[in-house]
Amino acid sequence: MNQRLDRINHFLDGVTRNRREIVTPEGVVLETDVANNGERLTAFLIDFLFWILATILLYLVFALLAVEHMSGAVASTIIFLFAFLLRNLYFIHFELTTQGSTPGKRIVNLRVIDRNGGPLLPGAIIARNLTREVEIFLPLGLFLTMPKIAAGWSFWLSASYFGWIVLISALPFFNRDHLRAGDLIAGTMVISMPRRKLLAELVEAQAKYVFTRSQLDAYGAFELQVLEEVLRRPPSEETKEIQRQICGRICRKIGWTGSDPSGDALDFLKAFYTAERAHLEREQLFGRYRSDKADQSSGRK
């Protein structure tokens, strides 16, 4: 079952993902796609950009309203305090109110879930986000604000902060679920929820490309596998030409009388692949297996 799901996901997404089964408290097994490090880093950088923009806006508003009545030290302290609160409340607020997704995660199609399959509790969200301060922001802030290296102890102290950042940042590379320290402490993980364009296209194409039983009976499992390999080919002009040729052959073989699919051969082939696969699997359930288009036997198992 897992091999079949991996194959389908590779066909739909174009990549092979690290999958994990999670058992809910009700005993339901859910299969999830673990978010990879690149996706998580992209989502974090997007959120970090949003936070920087919000901080700059806050700084400008505060500067216009209050700084002129305060000393520089007091103003800086207040600004840093508000930046700290905004940074943490940004992640905590969005993950609490949008079921484990920040704006960056939504753009990259990621979501935080409980590793044990239970509900994502507020305590876990707060813990995983406050831990980010110790993981990244605190040592990074200390490293950036370190005075100029003038003595040996300053170098080693600065190096220790930098080493801390590197070690903590590298943690997701050393576990199969790409968990950072906050996830380990909070019992959470980040999963990928890709919007599979293929599925939406197939739904939209149902009215345009509808195949009859006799048309689907024209091919067997071997031809379906060949078609799948064609659909896996990297995009190129050569691939498009091959797809157009195969589309024409299929149309002639099944006696296609609908709209001319030559302009969108890839959509036609995807729709035909999905319909043919479902047809062959349904036939196999009734003991009718067809190995290829030349196999005319019935009741074969």
Side-chain angles (χ1 to χ4, degrees):
M1 183 65 176
N2 287 337
Q3 292 179 348
R4 173 179 290 185
L5 287 172
D6 288 340
R7 190 175 183 182
I8 292 174
N9 276 280
H10 180 73
F11 173 67
L12 292 176
D13 298 331
V15 295
T16 301
R17 290 186 170 275
N18 182 15
R19 299 184 62 83
R20 177 175 173 179
E21 289 186 350
I22 296 178
V23 182
T24 67
E26 295 78 16
V28 179
V29 179
L30 301 176
E31 292 197 345
T32 59
D33 294 331
V34 179
N36 60 47
N37 293 318
E39 291 172 325
R40 296 194 63 170
L41 178 60
T42 301
F44 174 75
L45 292 177
I46 293 173
D47 285 322
F48 188 75
L49 176 61
F50 289 157
W51 168 72
I52 288 292
L53 294 176
T55 302
I56 292 174
L57 179 62
L58 177 65
Y59 173 80
L60 293 176
V61 172
F62 189 77
L64 292 174
L65 297 179
V67 169
E68 60 183 16
H69 304 294
M70 299 181 184
S71 65
V74 174
S76 298
T77 302
I78 294 177
I79 289 174
F80 283 129
L81 175 61
F82 275 109
F84 169 80
L85 294 175
L86 180 63
R87 178 171 64 241
N88 287 280
L89 291 178
Y90 172 89
F91 289 97
I92 293 173
H93 166 74
F94 282 112
E95 290 187 1
L96 281 174
T97 58
T98 57
Q99 298 181 334
S101 292
T102 59
K105 288 187 177 68
R106 285 200 298 273
I107 292 173
V108 189
N109 303 318
L110 304 182
R111 179 185 170 189
V112 180
I113 64 169
D114 183 83
R115 286 207 308 275
N116 295 320
L120 187 60
L121 300 177
I125 292 176
I126 294 173
R128 74 183 304 274
N129 286 294
L130 289 181
T131 306
R132 189 182 286 108
E133 285 295 318
V134 181
E135 290 179 277
I136 301 175
F137 291 114
L138 179 59
L140 182 62
L142 292 173
F143 176 73
L144 294 177
T145 57
M146 181 70 65
K148 254 186 190 182
I149 299 174
W153 67 268
S154 297
F155 169 79
W156 291 113
L157 189 58
S158 180
S160 66
Y161 290 144
F162 182 73
W164 175 261
I165 298 172
V166 172
L167 289 175
I168 293 296
S169 301
L171 184 60
F173 292 93
F174 295 97
N175 62 86
R176 72 184 188 93
D177 292 332
H178 307 303
L179 304 176
R180 63 178 183 85
D183 292 314
L184 294 172
I185 293 173
T188 58
M189 66 183 297
V190 181
I191 63 172
S192 175
M193 304 180 67
R195 298 187 183 97
R196 287 168 178 155
K197 186 179 179 182
L198 173 61
L199 297 181
E201 290 175 348
L202 293 176
V203 171
E204 294 174 359
Q206 283 181 352
K208 188 175 182 180
Y209 301 123
V210 178
F211 305 99
T212 65
R213 181 189 178 97
S214 61
Q215 289 174 331
L216 297 175
D217 280 335
Y219 291 107
F222 173 75
E223 288 77 22
L224 182 69
Q225 184 177 1
V226 173
L227 177 57
E228 181 175 333
E229 295 302 321
V230 171
L231 292 174
R232 289 176 187 270
R233 290 173 63 98
S236 67
E237 289 302 320
E238 180 185 1
T239 299
K240 291 180 180 179
E241 180 59 30
I242 293 174
Q243 290 170 349
R244 282 193 291 267
Q245 293 177 7
I246 292 177
C247 178
R249 293 174 187 172
I250 292 176
C251 288
R252 290 191 294 273
K253 176 70 176 179
I254 67 176
W256 178 255
T257 58
S259 59
D260 182 14
S262 57
D264 54 351
L266 180 58
D267 289 343
F268 179 85
L269 293 179
K270 287 179 178 179
F272 184 78
Y273 171 87
T274 303
E276 182 70 32
R277 186 185 187 106
H279 172 69
L280 292 177
E281 290 182 350
R282 186 167 55 248
E283 289 292 289
Q284 191 171 358
L285 290 176
F286 292 98
R288 297 187 291 269
Y289 173 75
R290 190 175 188 190
S291 59
D292 54 46
K293 62 183 179 182
D295 185 0
Q296 302 296 329
S297 61
S298 61
R300 181 177 174 181
K301 298 183 181 179

Short mmCIF file of all heavy atoms in Angstrom, two decimals, residues 183-224:
data_model
loop_
_atom_site.label_atom_id
_atom_site.label_comp_id
_atom_site.label_asym_id
_atom_site.label_seq_id
_atom_site.Cartn_x
_atom_site.Cartn_y
_atom_site.Cartn_z
N ASP A 183 10.34 21.69 17.76
CA ASP A 183 9.44 20.57 17.47
C ASP A 183 9.67 19.42 18.44
O ASP A 183 8.72 18.75 18.87
CB ASP A 183 9.64 20.09 16.03
CG ASP A 183 9.19 21.10 15.00
OD1 ASP A 183 8.09 21.65 15.18
OD2 ASP A 183 9.93 21.35 14.03
N LEU A 184 10.93 19.15 18.75
CA LEU A 184 11.25 18.07 19.69
C LEU A 184 10.67 18.35 21.07
O LEU A 184 10.16 17.46 21.75
CB LEU A 184 12.76 17.87 19.78
CG LEU A 184 13.45 17.37 18.50
CD1 LEU A 184 14.96 17.41 18.67
CD2 LEU A 184 13.00 15.95 18.17
N ILE A 185 10.76 19.60 21.50
CA ILE A 185 10.25 19.97 22.82
C ILE A 185 8.73 19.99 22.85
O ILE A 185 8.10 19.51 23.80
CB ILE A 185 10.81 21.35 23.23
CG1 ILE A 185 12.32 21.25 23.46
CG2 ILE A 185 10.12 21.88 24.48
CD1 ILE A 185 12.99 22.57 23.71
N ALA A 186 8.12 20.52 21.80
CA ALA A 186 6.66 20.69 21.78
C ALA A 186 5.91 19.47 21.28
O ALA A 186 4.69 19.41 21.39
CB ALA A 186 6.30 21.90 20.92
N GLY A 187 6.61 18.48 20.74
CA GLY A 187 5.94 17.30 20.21
C GLY A 187 5.19 17.57 18.92
O GLY A 187 4.13 16.99 18.68
N THR A 188 5.75 18.45 18.08
CA THR A 188 5.09 18.82 16.83
C THR A 188 5.97 18.43 15.64
O THR A 188 7.12 18.04 15.79
CB THR A 188 4.83 20.33 16.78
OG1 THR A 188 6.08 21.04 16.92
CG2 THR A 188 3.88 20.75 17.89
N MET A 189 5.40 18.53 14.45
CA MET A 189 6.14 18.35 13.22
C MET A 189 5.47 19.18 12.14
O MET A 189 4.29 19.57 12.28
CB MET A 189 6.21 16.88 12.82
CG MET A 189 4.86 16.27 12.45
SD MET A 189 4.96 14.50 12.06
CE MET A 189 6.02 14.54 10.62
N VAL A 190 6.20 19.46 11.08
CA VAL A 190 5.67 20.26 9.98
C VAL A 190 5.47 19.35 8.78
O VAL A 190 6.40 18.62 8.39
CB VAL A 190 6.61 21.42 9.62
CG1 VAL A 190 6.03 22.25 8.48
CG2 VAL A 190 6.85 22.31 10.84
N ILE A 191 4.27 19.37 8.22
CA ILE A 191 3.97 18.52 7.07
C ILE A 191 3.70 19.37 5.85
O ILE A 191 3.38 20.57 5.95
CB ILE A 191 2.76 17.60 7.35
CG1 ILE A 191 1.49 18.44 7.60
CG2 ILE A 191 3.05 16.68 8.51
CD1 ILE A 191 0.23 17.61 7.69
N SER A 192 3.83 18.76 4.70
CA SER A 192 3.56 19.44 3.44
C SER A 192 2.17 19.07 2.96
O SER A 192 1.77 17.90 3.01
CB SER A 192 4.61 19.04 2.39
OG SER A 192 4.30 19.61 1.13
N MET A 193 1.44 20.06 2.52
CA MET A 193 0.10 19.84 1.98
C MET A 193 0.04 20.48 0.60
O MET A 193 -0.57 21.54 0.40
CB MET A 193 -0.96 20.44 2.91
CG MET A 193 -0.88 19.91 4.33
SD MET A 193 -2.11 20.61 5.43
CE MET A 193 -3.61 19.93 4.73
N PRO A 194 0.71 19.85 -0.39
CA PRO A 194 0.80 20.48 -1.72
C PRO A 194 -0.54 20.57 -2.41
O PRO A 194 -1.38 19.68 -2.29
CB PRO A 194 1.75 19.54 -2.48
CG PRO A 194 1.59 18.23 -1.80
CD PRO A 194 1.34 18.53 -0.35
N ARG A 195 -0.73 21.68 -3.11
CA ARG A 195 -1.92 21.81 -3.96
C ARG A 195 -1.60 21.13 -5.27
O ARG A 195 -0.89 21.68 -6.10
CB ARG A 195 -2.26 23.28 -4.18
CG ARG A 195 -2.60 24.03 -2.92
CD ARG A 195 -3.10 25.43 -3.26
NE ARG A 195 -3.37 26.21 -2.08
CZ ARG A 195 -2.53 27.07 -1.54
NH1 ARG A 195 -1.35 27.27 -2.10
NH2 ARG A 195 -2.85 27.76 -0.47
N ARG A 196 -2.12 19.96 -5.44
CA ARG A 196 -1.80 19.20 -6.63
C ARG A 196 -2.59 19.73 -7.81
O ARG A 196 -3.79 19.51 -7.93
CB ARG A 196 -2.09 17.72 -6.41
CG ARG A 196 -1.06 17.08 -5.49
CD ARG A 196 -1.47 15.72 -5.03
NE ARG A 196 -0.42 15.16 -4.19
CZ ARG A 196 -0.66 14.23 -3.27
NH1 ARG A 196 -1.88 13.80 -3.07
NH2 ARG A 196 0.33 13.75 -2.55
N LYS A 197 -1.88 20.41 -8.66
CA LYS A 197 -2.51 21.02 -9.81
C LYS A 197 -3.18 19.98 -10.69
O LYS A 197 -4.21 20.23 -11.31
CB LYS A 197 -1.46 21.80 -10.62
CG LYS A 197 -2.02 22.59 -11.77
CD LYS A 197 -0.92 23.33 -12.49
CE LYS A 197 -1.48 24.12 -13.67
NZ LYS A 197 -0.40 24.82 -14.40
N LEU A 198 -2.57 18.79 -10.74
CA LEU A 198 -3.12 17.75 -11.59
C LEU A 198 -4.54 17.40 -11.20
O LEU A 198 -5.41 17.25 -12.04
CB LEU A 198 -2.24 16.50 -11.49
CG LEU A 198 -2.76 15.25 -12.20
CD1 LEU A 198 -2.90 15.51 -13.69
CD2 LEU A 198 -1.84 14.07 -11.95
N LEU A 199 -4.82 17.28 -9.90
CA LEU A 199 -6.16 16.93 -9.45
C LEU A 199 -7.17 17.98 -9.86
O LEU A 199 -8.27 17.65 -10.29
CB LEU A 199 -6.16 16.74 -7.92
CG LEU A 199 -5.29 15.60 -7.40
CD1 LEU A 199 -5.40 15.52 -5.89
CD2 LEU A 199 -5.69 14.29 -8.04
N ALA A 200 -6.84 19.25 -9.70
CA ALA A 200 -7.76 20.30 -10.10
C ALA A 200 -8.00 20.27 -11.61
O ALA A 200 -9.13 20.46 -12.08
CB ALA A 200 -7.19 21.66 -9.69
N GLU A 201 -6.94 20.01 -12.37
CA GLU A 201 -7.09 19.96 -13.82
C GLU A 201 -7.99 18.80 -14.23
O GLU A 201 -8.81 18.93 -15.14
CB GLU A 201 -5.71 19.79 -14.47
CG GLU A 201 -4.84 21.04 -14.37
CD GLU A 201 -3.46 20.78 -14.92
OE1 GLU A 201 -3.13 19.59 -15.16
OE2 GLU A 201 -2.72 21.75 -15.12
N LEU A 202 -7.85 17.67 -13.53
CA LEU A 202 -8.66 16.52 -13.89
C LEU A 202 -10.14 16.76 -13.58
O LEU A 202 -11.00 16.33 -14.33
CB LEU A 202 -8.16 15.28 -13.13
CG LEU A 202 -6.77 14.80 -13.54
CD1 LEU A 202 -6.34 13.63 -12.67
CD2 LEU A 202 -6.75 14.41 -15.00
N VAL A 203 -10.41 17.44 -12.48
CA VAL A 203 -11.80 17.74 -12.14
C VAL A 203 -12.41 18.65 -13.20
O VAL A 203 -13.53 18.45 -13.65
CB VAL A 203 -11.88 18.39 -10.74
CG1 VAL A 203 -13.29 18.90 -10.49
CG2 VAL A 203 -11.49 17.38 -9.67
N GLU A 204 -11.62 19.67 -13.61
CA GLU A 204 -12.12 20.60 -14.61
C GLU A 204 -12.27 19.92 -15.97
O GLU A 204 -13.09 20.32 -16.80
CB GLU A 204 -11.16 21.79 -14.73
CG GLU A 204 -11.10 22.65 -13.47
CD GLU A 204 -10.05 23.73 -13.57
OE1 GLU A 204 -9.35 23.79 -14.60
OE2 GLU A 204 -9.92 24.51 -12.60
N ALA A 205 -11.44 18.89 -16.21
CA ALA A 205 -11.46 18.24 -17.51
C ALA A 205 -12.50 17.14 -17.63
O ALA A 205 -12.69 16.58 -18.71
CB ALA A 205 -10.08 17.64 -17.81
N GLN A 206 -13.20 16.82 -16.54
CA GLN A 206 -14.17 15.73 -16.57
C GLN A 206 -15.26 15.97 -17.61
O GLN A 206 -15.67 15.03 -18.31
CB GLN A 206 -14.80 15.55 -15.18
CG GLN A 206 -13.89 14.83 -14.20
CD GLN A 206 -14.55 14.65 -12.85
OE1 GLN A 206 -15.62 15.19 -12.59
NE2 GLN A 206 -13.91 13.89 -11.99
N ALA A 207 -15.73 17.20 -17.69
CA ALA A 207 -16.77 17.50 -18.66
C ALA A 207 -16.22 17.52 -20.09
O ALA A 207 -16.94 17.27 -21.05
CB ALA A 207 -17.43 18.84 -18.34
N LYS A 208 -14.92 17.82 -20.21
CA LYS A 208 -14.32 17.94 -21.54
C LYS A 208 -13.83 16.60 -22.06
O LYS A 208 -13.96 16.31 -23.25
CB LYS A 208 -13.15 18.93 -21.47
CG LYS A 208 -12.57 19.29 -22.82
CD LYS A 208 -11.50 20.38 -22.66
CE LYS A 208 -10.94 20.79 -24.01
NZ LYS A 208 -9.89 21.84 -23.87
N TYR A 209 -13.26 15.79 -21.18
CA TYR A 209 -12.72 14.50 -21.58
C TYR A 209 -13.41 13.39 -20.79
O TYR A 209 -12.99 13.06 -19.67
CB TYR A 209 -11.21 14.45 -21.35
CG TYR A 209 -10.44 15.51 -22.10
CD1 TYR A 209 -9.62 16.41 -21.44
CD2 TYR A 209 -10.55 15.62 -23.49
CE1 TYR A 209 -8.91 17.37 -22.13
CE2 TYR A 209 -9.86 16.59 -24.19
CZ TYR A 209 -9.03 17.47 -23.50
OH TYR A 209 -8.35 18.43 -24.19
N VAL A 210 -14.46 12.85 -21.35
CA VAL A 210 -15.20 11.75 -20.74
C VAL A 210 -15.04 10.52 -21.62
O VAL A 210 -15.32 10.58 -22.83
CB VAL A 210 -16.70 12.10 -20.58
CG1 VAL A 210 -17.45 10.93 -19.97
CG2 VAL A 210 -16.86 13.34 -19.72
N PHE A 211 -14.58 9.43 -21.04
CA PHE A 211 -14.30 8.23 -21.82
C PHE A 211 -15.32 7.14 -21.50
O PHE A 211 -15.70 6.94 -20.34
CB PHE A 211 -12.88 7.72 -21.49
CG PHE A 211 -11.82 8.76 -21.70
CD1 PHE A 211 -11.32 9.49 -20.63
CD2 PHE A 211 -11.32 9.02 -22.97
CE1 PHE A 211 -10.34 10.45 -20.82
CE2 PHE A 211 -10.34 9.97 -23.17
CZ PHE A 211 -9.85 10.70 -22.10
N THR A 212 -15.73 6.43 -22.53
CA THR A 212 -16.67 5.34 -22.35
C THR A 212 -15.94 4.07 -21.96
O THR A 212 -14.70 3.97 -22.08
CB THR A 212 -17.46 5.09 -23.64
OG1 THR A 212 -16.54 4.64 -24.66
CG2 THR A 212 -18.14 6.36 -24.12
N ARG A 213 -16.69 3.06 -21.51
CA ARG A 213 -16.08 1.79 -21.11
C ARG A 213 -15.38 1.13 -22.29
O ARG A 213 -14.29 0.59 -22.15
CB ARG A 213 -17.16 0.87 -20.55
CG ARG A 213 -16.64 -0.47 -20.07
CD ARG A 213 -17.77 -1.42 -19.74
NE ARG A 213 -17.23 -2.72 -19.33
CZ ARG A 213 -17.06 -3.11 -18.09
NH1 ARG A 213 -17.38 -2.29 -17.09
NH2 ARG A 213 -16.58 -4.29 -17.81
N SER A 214 -16.02 1.18 -23.45
CA SER A 214 -15.40 0.54 -24.62
C SER A 214 -14.09 1.23 -25.00
O SER A 214 -13.14 0.58 -25.45
CB SER A 214 -16.37 0.58 -25.81
OG SER A 214 -16.70 1.92 -26.15
N GLN A 215 -14.01 2.55 -24.82
CA GLN A 215 -12.77 3.27 -25.11
C GLN A 215 -11.67 2.87 -24.13
O GLN A 215 -10.51 2.71 -24.51
CB GLN A 215 -13.01 4.77 -25.07
CG GLN A 215 -13.85 5.29 -26.23
CD GLN A 215 -14.21 6.75 -26.09
OE1 GLN A 215 -14.33 7.27 -24.97
NE2 GLN A 215 -14.39 7.43 -27.21
N LEU A 216 -12.03 2.72 -22.86
CA LEU A 216 -11.04 2.34 -21.86
C LEU A 216 -10.62 0.88 -22.00
O LEU A 216 -9.54 0.49 -21.55
CB LEU A 216 -11.59 2.60 -20.46
CG LEU A 216 -11.89 4.08 -20.13
CD1 LEU A 216 -12.55 4.19 -18.76
CD2 LEU A 216 -10.61 4.91 -20.17
N ASP A 217 -11.47 0.05 -22.61
CA ASP A 217 -11.12 -1.36 -22.83
C ASP A 217 -10.08 -1.53 -23.93
O ASP A 217 -9.59 -2.64 -24.15
CB ASP A 217 -12.38 -2.16 -23.22
CG ASP A 217 -13.22 -2.51 -22.00
OD1 ASP A 217 -12.64 -2.58 -20.89
OD2 ASP A 217 -14.43 -2.70 -22.14
N ALA A 218 -9.72 -0.45 -24.61
CA ALA A 218 -8.79 -0.55 -25.73
C ALA A 218 -7.36 -0.83 -25.27
O ALA A 218 -6.54 -1.30 -26.07
CB ALA A 218 -8.83 0.73 -26.56
N TYR A 219 -7.05 -0.54 -24.02
CA TYR A 219 -5.68 -0.70 -23.54
C TYR A 219 -5.64 -1.54 -22.27
O TYR A 219 -6.65 -1.73 -21.58
CB TYR A 219 -5.03 0.66 -23.28
CG TYR A 219 -4.78 1.46 -24.53
CD1 TYR A 219 -5.56 2.57 -24.85
CD2 TYR A 219 -3.76 1.09 -25.40
CE1 TYR A 219 -5.32 3.30 -26.00
CE2 TYR A 219 -3.51 1.81 -26.55
CZ TYR A 219 -4.30 2.91 -26.85
OH TYR A 219 -4.06 3.62 -28.00
N GLY A 220 -4.43 -2.02 -21.94
CA GLY A 220 -4.23 -2.81 -20.75
C GLY A 220 -3.18 -2.20 -19.84
O GLY A 220 -2.77 -1.04 -20.00
N ALA A 221 -2.71 -3.02 -18.88
CA ALA A 221 -1.78 -2.52 -17.86
C ALA A 221 -0.44 -2.10 -18.47
O ALA A 221 0.17 -1.13 -18.00
CB ALA A 221 -1.57 -3.60 -16.81
N PHE A 222 0.02 -2.82 -19.49
CA PHE A 222 1.32 -2.49 -20.09
C PHE A 222 1.28 -1.09 -20.72
O PHE A 222 2.19 -0.27 -20.51
CB PHE A 222 1.70 -3.53 -21.14
CG PHE A 222 2.94 -3.17 -21.91
CD1 PHE A 222 4.19 -3.30 -21.34
CD2 PHE A 222 2.84 -2.69 -23.21
CE1 PHE A 222 5.34 -2.95 -22.04
CE2 PHE A 222 3.98 -2.35 -23.92
CZ PHE A 222 5.23 -2.48 -23.34
N GLU A 223 0.23 -0.80 -21.48
CA GLU A 223 0.11 0.50 -22.12
C GLU A 223 -0.04 1.61 -21.08
O GLU A 223 0.48 2.72 -21.28
CB GLU A 223 -1.07 0.51 -23.09
CG GLU A 223 -0.88 -0.30 -24.36
CD GLU A 223 -1.04 -1.80 -24.13
OE1 GLU A 223 -1.69 -2.18 -23.13
OE2 GLU A 223 -0.52 -2.56 -24.95
N LEU A 224 -0.73 1.31 -19.99
CA LEU A 224 -0.88 2.31 -18.93
C LEU A 224 0.49 2.64 -18.32
O LEU A 224 0.78 3.81 -18.05
CB LEU A 224 -1.81 1.78 -17.84
CG LEU A 224 -2.10 2.74 -16.68
CD1 LEU A 224 -2.95 3.90 -17.15
CD2 LEU A 224 -2.77 2.01 -15.52
#
